[in-house]
Amino acid sequence: MKDDVQFRSKKPAAKLSMELPSDKLFLTYLNLISKCEGEELYHMMEPVGEGIMKHTHIAEGIELVYSELEGYSPHYQAEKKQADALEIMYIVEGQAEFELQNRQFVSGDKGDVLIFNSKTGVKKCMLGKNGMNCISLILFSHEAVSFLNDFFKTSDFKIADFFKEVRSSDSVVSYPGGPLLENLFLEMTKLPDDFSAFRIRMAAIHAILIMMNKKEKRDLTDIYFSGTTGRKVQNVRRLINANLDREISIDELSRKVNLNRTTMQKVFKEMYGVTVNEYRTKSRMQLAKNLMASTELSITEIAGRCGYANASKFSEVFKKNEGMLPKTWRK
């Protein structure tokens, strides 16, 4: 940071409302450490969690936040619901599982995009063993639409169509980011130079336009592409999540990503802290909880959707992992 950085003392929590300027949002539960040339660095305050956040103002209605989180507990959901806003999160490193206030669950891993609307509150967040680094674009819908129309000298952007599926969803929309979005989000975190502010702004706008055009929660065409061992192992995880209803074998996974079986298993454990089969079981249990909380499907039907041939085996695995039988959990 530059020598002229200004250090501030802890500020009292502010109340978020529709009238609150977006650049004040981050004072709600954060301690401002420093401020310099349009960037602010914060340390999270208890009881919200442990970690740092760096905030950059992109444009009217568009804020950029880079976070390095060691622990996180969302305590601002009531205030968040007062604003028509979205948080688009790209996970750079680590993993997280979110329990929503409507009892649905969603998880994200390195390379995933998760989009939260302001109406769907998060009850609990469980981070991976090494925490999580993520980049978030926070969009205040009306202001962002107005900015995009001004920026492109058009009236084509309509509030009714702005992330329509996401804003009306009762859950978190998530999908693998893919190479293009990864490059754009990482561009937003590069060290400053003479033109970095302009590049960051263009990368953010480009990413928003791409994600506005995403129609499916999971774009399975993103599953297969060549890359490093780490990227291939990310594809293994995505293949598992796309095939939770069937027993796709270790050998089949290694063939699909063109990676040696032993290497795949070793690197998967190093990246995610669990084995391939442990991860599959965890994802199936998460799917089961979502289905039990949000549908009227029978336990037998849910077992089938989670890849179990019968309800008895499913119940056995569920109890081992969750500490109770599925019927009890559902009640």
Side-chain angles (χ1 to χ4, degrees):
M1 292 191 179
K2 300 289 184 69
D3 293 335
D4 60 351
V5 66
Q6 299 176 3
F7 291 88
R8 305 288 184 87
S9 60
K10 182 179 293 187
K11 292 183 178 293
K15 181 175 176 60
L16 175 64
S17 69
M18 289 294 289
E19 290 74 29
L20 182 69
S22 58
D23 61 352
K24 301 298 183 185
L25 172 64
F26 308 97
L27 295 177
T28 306
Y29 289 103
L30 303 175
N31 176 19
L32 180 62
I33 298 174
S34 62
K35 184 173 183 178
C36 182
E37 296 185 350
E39 289 188 348
E40 300 151 11
L41 184 67
Y42 299 90
H43 189 280
M44 300 181 73
M45 301 191 311
E46 292 294 340
V48 174
E50 180 67 26
I52 63 168
M53 292 184 175
K54 184 173 73 173
H55 164 228
T56 305
H57 177 68
I58 298 295
E60 189 68 25
I62 305 175
E63 309 296 331
L64 174 66
V65 181
Y66 172 72
S67 304
E68 295 180 4
L69 304 177
E70 299 169 30
Y72 180 62
S73 179
H75 282 264
Y76 61 96
Q77 300 303 310
E79 293 93 337
K80 187 183 78 169
K81 290 182 180 181
Q82 299 177 45
D84 183 1
L86 301 170
E87 179 179 356
I88 301 172
M89 176 187 293
Y90 177 82
I91 300 180
V92 180
E93 295 286 348
Q95 313 88 39
E97 178 177 304
F98 299 91
E99 179 182 350
L100 307 183
Q101 290 179 337
N102 59 10
R103 297 185 64 193
Q104 292 194 28
F105 291 77
V106 65
S107 65
D109 294 290
K110 181 178 179 179
D112 281 349
V113 172
L114 291 83
I115 310 181
F116 302 79
N117 64 39
S118 57
K119 298 177 182 178
T120 304
V122 177
K123 180 180 179 181
K124 187 187 299 182
C125 173
M126 287 86 39
L127 300 181
K129 63 176 184 177
N130 295 318
M132 178 178 70
N133 296 354
C134 61
I135 305 165
S136 293
L137 284 170
I138 299 178
L139 310 182
F140 294 84
S141 302
H142 291 268
E143 293 91 338
V145 167
S146 177
F147 163 76
L148 290 171
N149 280 322
D150 289 342
F151 185 84
F152 290 107
K153 307 300 181 186
T154 183
S155 58
D156 291 345
F157 294 93
K158 309 292 185 184
I159 188 62
D161 300 323
F162 188 67
F163 286 94
K164 180 179 179 181
E165 293 82 2
V166 180
R167 290 166 67 212
S168 62
S169 174
D170 63 351
S171 185
V172 177
V173 174
S174 64
Y175 47 80
L180 179 54
L181 280 176
E182 177 185 23
N183 289 336
L184 290 171
F185 274 104
L186 293 181
E187 179 71 22
M188 300 177 207
T189 65
K190 287 187 176 179
L191 293 173
D193 58 33
D194 290 343
F195 298 102
S196 60
F198 303 109
R199 292 204 315 273
I200 290 172
R201 193 184 198 200
M202 292 303 298
I205 295 169
H206 191 180
I208 291 168
L209 293 177
I210 290 173
M211 290 180 288
M212 284 178 64
N213 202 39
K214 282 272 188 183
K215 299 300 182 184
E216 300 296 332
K217 293 184 179 181
R218 286 274 176 189
D219 185 352
L220 299 184
T221 61
D222 286 346
I223 287 178
Y224 304 99
F225 52 86
S226 61
T228 64
T229 298
R231 176 65 70 185
K232 290 178 180 180
V233 170
Q234 288 179 35
N235 289 338
V236 171
R237 182 191 58 76
R238 291 166 184 159
L239 279 167
I240 291 170
N241 287 332
N243 293 276
L244 292 178
D245 59 340
R246 73 183 187 92
E247 200 63 36
I248 183 169
S249 69
I250 299 292
D251 287 335
E252 185 178 354
L253 287 168
S254 65
R255 286 196 304 271
K256 283 185 176 295
V257 299
N258 192 28
L259 193 61
N260 174 273
R261 172 191 171 120
T262 302
T263 301
M264 180 193 78
Q265 291 177 294
K266 179 181 178 182
V267 177
F268 192 99
K269 179 69 179 294
E270 290 176 353
M271 287 179 64
Y272 300 118
V274 292
T275 66
V276 171
N277 287 328
E278 287 170 342
Y279 180 85
R280 189 200 330 259
T281 299
K282 177 184 175 183
S283 296
R284 283 174 166 172
M285 295 303 100
Q286 177 182 297
L287 174 60
K289 288 186 286 188
N290 282 343
L291 291 173
M292 285 191 288
S294 61
T295 75
E296 299 297 323
L297 292 173
S298 69
I299 298 300
T300 300
E301 289 173 313
I302 291 173
R305 293 199 183 190
C306 296
Y308 294 94
N310 57 72
S312 176
K313 180 62 176 176
F314 165 69
S315 296
E316 177 187 336
V317 176
F318 190 93
K319 184 175 182 180
K320 181 179 178 181
N321 283 270
E322 304 298 330
M324 65 185 74
L325 291 170
K327 290 181 179 179
T328 306
W329 190 95
R330 190 174 222 173
K331 290 179 182 179

